[in-house]
Amino acid sequence: MTSRLVAVVVDCADADALARFWAAALGHRNIRAWDDGHGTTYAQIDDAVPLLLFQPVGEPRTGKNRLHLDVAPEPGGTQRGEVRRLTDLGATVLDEAPGFPWIVMADPEGNEFCVLPPED
């Protein structure tokens, strides 16, 4: 037996706002909010595979992410065009290091992710 990846869970301050950013970034529409038994409201992107779940936490993020997402433009898109689109949605560019094919960005809550060049 092995495990299967079911969801990627992102700790955040504002689950709804961050779910809306990532849904727009990834072209998804089905965001669902639900409460756990302690009254915490989560937001999840139901049509993402794997599921993306945004979990509100009280403490701020400190240090570098231990896990990050890599995204790439859809066929016909460009890396620079994708960076501009994501910036318009609220992301920021953190690093465009020469010699590396990716551009490091941060979502509106500072979670790092990379934009790769388009796949061939």
Side-chain angles (χ1 to χ4, degrees), residues 44-120:
Q44 69 184 45
I45 302 174
D46 280 333
D47 54 344
V49 177
L51 179 122
L52 290 175
L53 176 66
F54 300 88
Q55 170 179 281
V57 296
E59 65 276 353
R61 185 180 75 84
T62 59
K64 184 174 177 359
N65 294 14
R66 298 293 301 256
L67 173 78
H68 71 267
L69 303 178
D70 285 347
V71 300
E74 291 287 341
T78 67
Q79 185 180 37
R80 289 281 170 211
E82 189 64 6
V83 167
R84 277 190 303 276
R85 187 181 76 80
L86 294 166
T87 301
D88 288 346
L89 291 173
T92 55
V93 174
L94 298 179
D95 190 13
E96 297 183 59
F100 292 97
W102 54 81
I103 296 172
V104 181
M105 298 189 76
D107 70 17
E109 288 205 12
N111 299 301
E112 297 149 4
F113 65 98
C114 293
V115 179
L116 306 176
E119 295 178 353
D120 295 328

Side-chain angles (χ1 to χ4, degrees), residues 6-10 15-16 19 30-46 51-56:
V6 175
V8 174
V9 181
V10 179
D16 182 61
N30 293 334
I31 299 172
R32 180 170 60 94
W34 56 273
D35 296 332
D36 66 14
H38 300 283
T40 300
T41 302
Y42 299 77
Q44 69 184 45
I45 302 174
D46 280 333
L51 179 122
L52 290 175
L53 176 66
F54 300 88
Q55 170 179 281

